[in-house]
């Protein structure tokens, strides 16, 4: 495979211990044995090989590196003359395969091979193979005499020393290794038939121009053969023929193949035809086999005992046939392979094989195709047919690649599979190619293939239309005399172990322990996985190519970081964490800072964008469990006319899997990148590409003449420069803010703005398909940044400052010391950068998966974001088509915000370290009034920390109020909230009234109002048992509803307490402040994607069942519970294992449409008809349409969550950059439901950052019936907002599973009761001021809002008209909507079953009953209601009766 070696070095190889190996391209044995999937590489000679495990071998010389076996379709034993005639007729006239013939030959086997990687032939190889084969005896079968084996055999290279010794004794000249073929033949037993057969064989050889040198009876020990085997034992001889006219090994093999086919055809009419069989006929390999037990094969064949029998490899096989009459020819190995398994598709393979026989033509057969047919034999085993198929495929290699218009047949099963191999080998295809065609791996949507080896996908796709796969569980060992190897089928259901020793011998076996082995000499070992191959050739590896030193000094790095908007949190919590761990950092508690447009702090432009996500109408993808369908591959360069087909449209492939990029193949103008994340050297490689004609466009704007208008002018010039470059033939625009010296009056354009502007400009001018955009930027370090740039037109990004920051971190004294002291895992400077890129790629996959998108190429330019805070001037220029419902910053305002970062790098009082903006963690600082800060932002002075809605000051005030039950303290808490900076959209509106105030005494009671309150879906696991149960008890006292979150519920919580004394109960001994009559059950029980703890008993003990489609803190993602929080108790409730992290799939990613959601709603109504079913959605544009579909799906409750909801653990980018404000989501949902006449069908609930009665009234005016409180409920029970929930180290035991910390839990249910009563009283007070007696009167009344006149620091251009608009009111009051019974499934079959006296009696008294009923497709979720009825009475496992309903 020298041609393959020269074609393409693999970029990365993996040893069995998981250590990556950077191998030199040398031919040294130490670098030969490598691993890989079933992957092929295309070379200039068009030879394709799967990526495989094995030694590098030479294609020249006389010493083969592996074995070739040439397999032939087998003949069956037929005694009747009529059957014989029918059989001959069927061979000449193709017909479909008979299933009875096929199922008569099935088996399971033990297999393996041994190969010397230095290609040194020895007798030790043969001896070891026989020893290993003997240890496979239990894998084979024996006949009725317990002595006739189902079959065993070995394949080796031809033992020329042994045969030359025989030739010398016969007076013959030494055999010419190059021109001599050796046939191992089973001949008829009787002498006359044997002589006839030998004469036919000799005549055919002579007729074909070959010289028969002699016949050699193979010495055997017939005494050890079993009775039944001896009855059919053939006369075994070897024939030696010379092929004088051919010089090429492939031509010699092809000539021998033709001769063998002619012999079989000419003897077909002979009565002894089925007694003639070629075990092998080759210049490379020979097969010794028989109907023998594996233990006696070496004793039967004396040759195998001779020290002169030397081979560099041996394939061995022990057969176990389910046929009661095994035959000598069906023993294995076949001529090319040994097969352990079964081909399930054999009948179809044979039928198609016969169907295509007439179309099989190839120059290599020299017009003799009719003479070498048929290519399949239904009466042969699947192994034999697959062998023949692959053999023929190999031998037809030249023709297939010379003329792709001709079709070559596909492979058959193991005997049937052998037939195809017979065809493949003689026509020049490599063994790897033949098996790739016949037994392809699971290549569709295979990320490794898609990213690294697209040419292999082309190969598979090309042949998938020509050859149907031979499918079934299979371990295939193969050799053509040049390669020896093994491969597993796409499912990998057969065992295959391998190991390599210090003496450069590799072993493969279907089980371990087949040979005594000194473990100290084993250098590597492992097992083959699905679709993997081990073979003798493998491309050498190539090391990564990241920069290994800093390009700037520390002071310059700091100035760049300051100028481009980095904070200490960004560097320490994001970049350094990714560099150290190779994954996105995890955080908790949700996003409670102001929207970027409302913030008093400058923000990078990315923060104005929120990622969209899938919910209900299309499913999210699970990037962990469904990653096979996803790809980050992108293409850059000019895209030509799709209506014209030509080679210029093909891709030029770059390998950038881990590191440096290297051109693999030029075949057009497009360049394929394995991911959009580039390092400096990869970008440098692209810049040198002569086909792309890349051009760098600097992205800076000049403020020497003032800030106003400067950014707009710079963008115009940038777009004009891009336009000129593309019209001049440039296919790659590199937008770069890279600069060695930063200039105070030349700040960088926000790179997202630059990319979006150029992207839109090229689209509008019809040039977008002519060039790609790459961002070379310092303004990119988080996965959200990458996603935004790609979403608005960038094909790739080089985050040069982020990579420099990774290098700085790794080389810092602090990091070095931590690694030296073992406090941090050691990573190299290169690995740190790799880790960062790996984390970015994983994060991108997660972002794609949220929207249900598989391919980054589809995400590129798709603009799947919503904008909060940018005005139409900015959006129309750079982000045209994106939704920006509230308006916002102009270009000049955006320029000033950009400058506020830039000036930090040049101020004399610039800090010597990065500022902590406090965007993630709440930090102490000073809150300043926005109007006083406008100048400060422009000059870059520090303005204190970012405001967090949930802050320590707020929590202290709330604790004091609820613990002391002090109204005055609660008033202080209310005042604190009233004086906070503008934090959320609702802070921009205030109440007005069309009525005079009324006394509070006329307003509905607090007891009535609190029944509308719910707590968030906080799982037991994310928070402690104490917190979870205290919240549930408090809500049950109030008549509100707590939410279980995902994770099940302890049945002990379902009964009221009756044993409370002095606030304590033996039932719940960990709680205090209890009362008799308390229940700790959660009224709302959540059904999430992980289904943790969801059982029939769980479902029937709920008042409401919540389907979590999305979660506010991380929409589009599943729950995440760190392993350290999965205690034994949590694991029991969730039916999992302690200490194992639990990451749910994206919420209901198995719900592919609204119909599927409707079915789940039906299912839940079925199992618990009394429970209302709620569906939890997250605010985003278009949520109204989704909610309408949910209402039509028979949901009782729709919950809208805001982006600022809490979470116990989530990636930071998910917390910060997905989901929208609930104010917009609620408004859209309420108005859309009214417009569609659906509002009365559902209760509308909202949650996200609720803290006060003002929040409740705001939500009510916007249309909500019920109100959810999440984080603040935890605070009321004791949370101090330490924001370390994800670490399991909560100092007060609110969010920890550690016993010693849980013991510190300070809360009692009464604290939360006090809080909600205070909130309800606040609601009453505001209602009284407005002149309304009850909440019903103001729900949906947006006319009670007016804009609040408050100056904002960044802009005065926000548009709140959408929130203030109205389309009318519901026809029913909110109370009437809430008091509806749970929606019904209508009359269902289960009601009929439950009304059956026998069934109801069996349930009531645990009896056995059997019923037969008629069922139709309209009868959905049948017996679900029966299961609910049983679970309600007996629990999940307590029912002793039995209902048999058929």
């Amino acid at each position: 495979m020298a041609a393959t070696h020269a074609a393409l070095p693999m970029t990365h190889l993996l040893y069995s211990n998981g250590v990556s190996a950077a191998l030199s391209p040398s031919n040294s044995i130490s670098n030969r044995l490598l691993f890989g999937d079933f992957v092929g590489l295309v070379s200039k000679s068009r030879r394709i090989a799967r990526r495989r495990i094995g030694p590098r071998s030479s294609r020249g010389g006389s010493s083969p590196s592996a074995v070739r076996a040439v397999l032939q379709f087998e003949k069956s034993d037929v005694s009747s003359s009529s059957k014989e005639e029918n059989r001959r007729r069927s061979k000449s006239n193709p017909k479909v395969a008979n299933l009875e013939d096929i199922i008569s030959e099935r088996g399971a086997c033990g297999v393996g091979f041994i190969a010397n990687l230095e290609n040194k032939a020895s007798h030790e190889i043969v001896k070891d193979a026989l020893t290993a084969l003997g240890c496979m005896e239990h894998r084979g079968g024996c006949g009725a005499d317990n002595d006739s084996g189902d079959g065993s055999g070995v394949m080796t290279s031809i033992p020329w020393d042994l045969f030359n010794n025989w030739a010398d004794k016969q007076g013959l000249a030494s055999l010419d290794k190059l021109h001599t073929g050796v046939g191992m033949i089973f001949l008829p037993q009787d002498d006359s038939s044997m002589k006839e057969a030998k004469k036919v064989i000799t005549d055919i050889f002579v007729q074909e121009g070959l010289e028969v040198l002699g016949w050699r009876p193979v010495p055997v020990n017939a005494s050890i053969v079993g009775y039944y085997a001896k009855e059919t034992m053939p006369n075994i001889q070897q024939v030696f023929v010379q092929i004088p006219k051919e010089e090429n090994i492939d031509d010699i093999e092809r000539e021998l193949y033709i001769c063998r086919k002619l012999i079989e055809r000419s003897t077909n009419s002979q009565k002894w035809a089925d007694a003639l069989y070629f075990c092998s006929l080759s210049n490379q390999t020979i097969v010794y086999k028989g109907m023998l037990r594996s233990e006696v094969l070496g004793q039967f064949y004396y040759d195998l005992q001779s020290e002169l029998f030397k081979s560099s490899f041996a394939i061995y096989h022990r057969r176990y046939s389910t046929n009661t009459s095994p035959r000598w020819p069906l023993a294995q190995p076949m001529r090319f392979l040994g097969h352990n398994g079964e081909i399930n598709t054999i009948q179809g393979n044979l039928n198609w094989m016969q169907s295509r026989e007439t179309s099989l033509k190839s120059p290599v057969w020299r017009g003799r195709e009719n003479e070498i047919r048929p290519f399949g034999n239904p009466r042969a085993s699947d192994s034999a047919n697959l062998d023949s198929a692959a053999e023929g495929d190999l031998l037809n290699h030249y023709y297939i690649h010379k003329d792709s218009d001709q079709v070559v047949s596909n492979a058959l099963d193991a005997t049937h599979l052998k037939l195809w191999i017979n065809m493949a080998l003689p026509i020049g295809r490599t063994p790897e190619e033949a098996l790739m065609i016949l037994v392809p791996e699971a290549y569709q949507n295979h990320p490794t293939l898609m990213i690294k080896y697209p040419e292999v996908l082309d190969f598979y796709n090309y042949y998938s239309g020509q050859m149907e796969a031979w499918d079934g569980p299979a371990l295939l060992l193969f050799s053509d005399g040049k390669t020896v190897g093994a491969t597993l089928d796409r499912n990998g259901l057969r065992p295959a172990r391998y190991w390599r020793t210090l003496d450069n011998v590799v072993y493969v076996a279907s089980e371990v322990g087949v040979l005594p082995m000194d473990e100290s000499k084993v250098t590597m070992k492992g097992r083959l996985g699905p679709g993997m191959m081990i073979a003798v050739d493998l491309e050498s590896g190539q090391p990564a190519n990241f920069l290994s030193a800093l390009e700037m000094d520390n002071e310059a790095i700091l100035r760049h970081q300051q100028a481009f908007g980095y904070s200490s949190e960004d560097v320490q919590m994001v970049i350094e964490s990714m560099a150290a761990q190779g994954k996105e950092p995890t955080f908790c508690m949700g996003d409670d800072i102001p929207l970027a447009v409302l913030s008093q702090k400058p923000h990078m432009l990315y923060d104005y964008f929120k990622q969209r996500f899938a919910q209900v109408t299309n499913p999210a993808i699970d990037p962990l469990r469904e990653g096979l369908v996803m790809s980050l591959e992108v293409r850059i360069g000019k895209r030509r006319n799709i209506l014209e087909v030509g080679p210029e449209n093909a891709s030029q492939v770059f390998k950038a899997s881990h590191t440096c990029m290297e051109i693999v193949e030029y075949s057009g103008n497009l360049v394929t990148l394995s991911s959009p994340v580039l390092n400096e050297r990869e970008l440098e490689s692209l810049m040198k590409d002569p086909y792309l004609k890349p051009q760098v466009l600097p992205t800076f704007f000049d403020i020497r003449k003032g800030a106003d208008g400067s950014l707009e002018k710079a963008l115009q010039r940038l777009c004009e420069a891009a336009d000129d470059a593309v019209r001049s033939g440039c296919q790659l625009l590199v937008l770069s803010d890279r600069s060695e010296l930063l200039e105070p009056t030349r700040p960088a354009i926000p790179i997202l703005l630059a990319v979006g502007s150029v992207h839109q400009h090229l689209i509008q001018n019809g040039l977008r398909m002519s060039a790609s955009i790459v961002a070379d930027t310092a303004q990119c370090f988080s996965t959200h940044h990458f996603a935004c740039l790609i979403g608005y037109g960038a094909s790739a990004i080089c985050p040069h400052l982020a990579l420099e920051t990774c290098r700085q971190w790794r080389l810092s004294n602090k990091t070095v010391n931590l690694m030296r002291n073992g406090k941090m895992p050691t990573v190299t400077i290169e690995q740190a950068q790799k880790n960062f890129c790996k984390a970015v790629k994983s994060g991108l996959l997660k972002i794609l998966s949220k929207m249900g998108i598989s391919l980054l190429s589809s995400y590129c330019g798709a603009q799947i974001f919503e904008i909060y805070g940018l005005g139409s001037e900015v959006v129309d220029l750079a982000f045209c088509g994106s939704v920006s419902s509230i308006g916002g910053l102009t270009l000049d305002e955006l320029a000033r915000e950009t400058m506020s970062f830039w000036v930090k790098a040049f101020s004399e009082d610039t800090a010597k370290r990065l500022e902590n903006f406090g965007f993630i963690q709440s930090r102490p600082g000073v809150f300043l009034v926005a109007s006083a800060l406008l100048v400060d932002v422009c000059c870059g002075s520090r303005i204190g920390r970012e405001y967090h809605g949930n802050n320590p000051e707020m929590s202290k005030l709330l604790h004091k109020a609820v613990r002391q039950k002090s109204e005055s303290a609660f008033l202080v808490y209310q005042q604190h909230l009233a004086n906070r900076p503008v934090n959320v959209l609702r802070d921009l509106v205030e109440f007005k009234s069309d009525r005079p105030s009324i006394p509070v005494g006329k307003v509905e009671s607090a007891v009535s109002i609190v029944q509308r309150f719910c707590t968030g879906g906080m799982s037991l696991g994310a928070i402690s048992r104490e917190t979870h149960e205290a919240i549930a008890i408090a809500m049950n006292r109030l008549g509100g509803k707590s939410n279980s979150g995902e994770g099940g519920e302890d049945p002990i919580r379902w009964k009221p307490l009756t044993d409370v004394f002095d606030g304590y109960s033996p039932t719940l001994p960990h709680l205090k402040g209890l009362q008799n009559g308390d229940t700790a059950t959660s009224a709302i029980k959540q059904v999430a994607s992980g289904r943790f703890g969801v059982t029939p008993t769980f479902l029937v003990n709920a008042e409401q069942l919540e389907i979590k489609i999305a979660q506010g803190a991380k929409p589009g993602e599943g729950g995440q519970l760190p392993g350290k929080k999965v205690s034994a108790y949590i694991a029991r409730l969730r039916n999992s294992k302690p200490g194992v992290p639990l990451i749910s799939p994206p919420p209901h990613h198995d719900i592919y449409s609204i119909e599927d959601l409707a079915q789940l709603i039906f299912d839940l109504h079925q199992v618990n008809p009394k429970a209302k079913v709620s569906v939890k959605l997250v605010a985003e544009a278009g949520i109204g349409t989704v909610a309408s579909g949910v209402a039509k799906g028979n949901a009782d409750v729709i919950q809208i969550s805001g982006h600022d909801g809490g979470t116990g653990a989530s990636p930071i980018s998910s917390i910060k950059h997905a989901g929208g404000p609930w104010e917009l989501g609620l408004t859209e949902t309420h108005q859309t439901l009214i417009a569609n006449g659906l509002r009365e069908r559902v209760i509308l609930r909202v949650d996200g950052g609720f803290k006060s009665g003002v929040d409740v009234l705001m939500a009510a005016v916007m249309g909500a019936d019920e109100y959810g409180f999440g984080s603040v409920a935890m605070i009321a029970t004791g949370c101090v907002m330490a924001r370390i929930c994800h670490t399991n180290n909560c100092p007060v035991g609110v969010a920890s599973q550690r016993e010693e910390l849980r013991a510190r839990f300070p809360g009692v249910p009464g604290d939360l009761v006090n809080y909600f009563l205070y909130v309800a009283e606040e609601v009453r007070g505001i209602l009284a001021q407005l002149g309304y007696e009850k909440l019903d009167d103001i729900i949906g009344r947006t006319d009670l809002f007016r804009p609040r006149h408050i100056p904002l620091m960044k802009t005065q251009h926000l548009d709140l008209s959408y929130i203030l608009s109205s389309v009318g009111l519901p026809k029913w009051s909110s109370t009437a909507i809430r008091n509806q019974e749970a929606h019904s499934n209508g009359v269902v079959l289960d009601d009929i079953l439950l009304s059956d006296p026998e069934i109801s009696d069996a349930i009531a008294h645990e009896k056995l009953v059997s019923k037969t009923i008629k069922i139709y497709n309209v009868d959905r979720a049948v017996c679900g209601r029966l299961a609910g009825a049983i679970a309600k009475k007996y629990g999940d496992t307590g029912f002793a009766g039995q209902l048999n309903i058929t």
Side-chain angles (χ1 to χ4, degrees), residues 365-426:
W365 304 126
R366 301 164 189 170
R368 305 174 69 179
E369 287 82 1
N370 289 333
E371 301 176 40
I372 59 175
R373 295 184 184 126
F375 295 118
N377 181 1
R379 290 183 174 84
S381 69
D382 56 353
S383 302
N385 274 293
L386 177 59
D387 182 83
S388 295
E391 186 182 25
D393 191 26
L394 284 163
L395 295 175
N396 197 40
H397 173 269
Y398 171 82
Y399 175 68
I400 289 300
H401 287 289
K402 287 294 286 184
D403 187 353
S404 60
D405 291 335
Q406 298 295 329
V407 179
V408 175
S409 359
N410 292 337
L412 309 176
D413 190 8
T415 301
H416 297 115
L417 187 66
K418 163 193 155 191
L419 296 173
W420 215 156
I421 296 177
N422 274 342
M423 248 183 11
L425 282 168

Side-chain angles (χ1 to χ4, degrees), residues 29-104:
I29 295 301
S30 63
N31 288 342
R32 288 182 179 180
L33 188 61
L34 303 169
F35 301 93
D37 294 332
F38 213 22
V39 176
L41 304 175
V42 178
S43 70
K44 293 178 181 178
S45 66
R46 301 179 184 173
R47 302 187 69 161
I48 299 178
R50 291 179 182 169
R51 186 157 54 96
R52 54 203 178 278
I53 306 169
R56 180 185 299 277
S57 65
S58 171
R59 285 300 184 192
S62 60
S63 182
S65 63
V67 184
R68 159 171 282 174
V70 181
L71 299 182
Q72 160 76 343
F73 40 125
E74 311 303 336
K75 304 177 178 63
S76 58
D77 296 319
V78 183
S79 56
S80 167
S81 59
S82 61
K83 287 184 178 180
E84 179 71 20
E85 178 62 27
N86 290 336
R87 180 176 61 81
R88 288 196 296 269
R89 186 179 300 115
S90 69
K91 286 187 176 181
S92 60
N93 298 311
K95 67 177 183 179
V96 297
N98 190 313
L99 181 60
E100 293 182 359
D101 291 336
I102 292 169
I103 63 177
S104 69

Side-chain angles (χ1 to χ4, degrees), residues 438-583:
L438 302 175
V439 191
E441 61 181 311
Y443 63 92
Q444 290 99 340
N445 303 317
H446 191 307
T448 302
L449 294 179
M450 293 168 65
I451 295 171
K452 296 183 180 181
Y453 307 104
E455 65 273 24
V456 178
L457 291 180
D458 295 339
F459 177 89
Y460 282 131
N461 287 325
Y462 176 80
Y463 285 109
S464 65
Q466 301 187 28
M467 171 65 75
E468 54 285 343
W470 294 64
D471 199 9
L475 166 60
L476 298 167
L477 280 71
F478 59 86
S479 180
D480 66 346
K482 304 171 187 177
T483 301
V484 60
T487 186
L488 279 180
D489 68 284
R490 65 195 294 138
N491 291 309
L493 300 180
R494 285 292 186 264
R497 304 284 181 174
Y498 61 81
W499 60 99
R500 175 189 173 177
T501 58
L502 286 172
D503 53 356
N504 290 319
V505 177
V506 62
Y507 302 81
V508 173
S510 52
E511 58 189 83
V512 295
V514 294
L515 281 172
M517 189 63 57
D518 183 352
E519 286 295 321
S520 65
K521 294 183 178 180
V522 175
T523 60
M524 60 166 47
K525 60 182 177 180
R527 62 181 292 272
L528 293 184
M532 290 187 70
M533 177 181 284
I534 179 169
V536 295
D537 285 342
L538 191 64
E539 301 298 329
S540 59
Q542 178 170 303
N545 197 12
F546 284 96
L547 297 180
S548 58
L550 292 174
E551 294 191 306
M552 297 183 283
D553 58 34
N554 287 337
E555 183 178 350
I557 293 174
L558 175 62
R559 288 190 176 275
H560 277 75
Q561 290 170 338
Q562 291 170 328
F564 289 107
Y566 287 46
S567 74
S568 61
E569 284 185 324
D570 297 329
V571 171
Q572 296 169 11
M573 298 185 69
V574 180
I575 299 175
E576 292 180 1
S577 178
M578 293 162 76
Q581 302 177 28
K583 59 183 180 180

Side-chain angles (χ1 to χ4, degrees), residues 581-596:
Q581 302 177 28
K583 59 183 180 180
E584 282 191 272
T586 299
F587 201 59
C588 62
M589 289 312 300
D591 185 24
D592 58 347
I593 66 172
L595 291 171

Side-chain angles (χ1 to χ4, degrees), residues 1125-1204:
K1125 298 186 79 169
V1126 184
S1127 65
Y1129 179 70
I1130 301 301
R1132 176 168 66 83
L1133 294 181
R1134 297 190 177 213
N1135 298 314
S1136 60
K1137 293 183 178 180
V1140 177
L1142 300 177
I1143 301 178
S1144 300
H1148 300 286
H1149 75 299
D1150 52 344
I1151 290 178
Y1152 297 104
S1153 65
I1154 189 64
E1155 302 98 302
D1156 292 337
L1157 178 61
Q1159 179 61 51
L1160 180 56
I1161 294 171
F1162 182 95
D1163 295 343
L1164 297 180
H1165 276 138
Q1166 191 81 338
V1167 74
N1168 187 349
K1170 294 182 179 180
K1172 293 183 178 180
V1173 176
S1174 66
V1175 176
K1176 183 177 182 179
L1177 307 172
V1178 171
E1180 66 174 332
I1183 189 67
T1185 302
V1186 174
S1188 295
V1190 173
K1192 294 175 184 177
N1194 214 29
D1196 302 274
V1197 183
I1198 295 176
Q1199 179 163 336
I1200 305 298
S1201 296
H1203 71 96
D1204 45 359

Side-chain angles (χ1 to χ4, degrees), residues 992-1000 1002-1004 1257 1323-1339 1341 1343-1344:
K992 65 177 183 179
S993 181
D994 54 352
R995 299 182 182 183
S997 299
I998 61 173
V1000 174
K1002 291 187 176 182
V1003 179
E1004 70 174 305
L1257 266 296
V1323 170
R1324 296 183 71 223
I1326 299 174
L1327 283 173
Q1329 291 177 14
L1330 295 175
Y1332 290 88
E1333 296 182 357
K1334 53 185 181 297
L1335 273 174
D1336 277 1
D1337 297 337
I1338 68 163
I1339 289 175
R1341 291 284 306 279
D1343 58 302
L1344 298 178

Side-chain angles (χ1 to χ4, degrees), residues 1224-1282:
L1224 296 175
L1226 172 61
T1227 298
E1228 180 181 345
T1229 300
H1230 174 70
Q1231 296 186 4
T1232 305
L1233 290 174
I1234 288 178
N1236 287 280
L1238 298 169
R1239 181 63 182 85
E1240 294 75 22
R1241 291 178 61 169
V1242 292
I1243 299 168
L1244 200 51
R1245 182 183 298 151
V1246 67
D1247 76 309
F1250 278 66
K1251 295 178 179 65
S1252 68
V1254 173
D1255 294 331
V1256 171
L1257 266 296
M1258 291 279 184
V1261 170
M1262 294 179 200
D1265 302 301
E1266 296 183 353
Y1267 318 98
F1269 297 75
S1271 299
V1272 73
M1274 286 202 307
I1275 294 173
T1277 56
C1279 172
V1280 295
M1281 292 309 297

Side-chain angles (χ1 to χ4, degrees), residues 772-795:
S772 295
I773 300 171
V774 168
D776 176 31
T777 181
Q779 306 171 61
C780 183
F781 54 79
S782 86
T783 55
H784 178 65
H785 299 170
F786 282 89
C788 286
L789 289 169
I790 294 166
Y792 285 100
S795 295

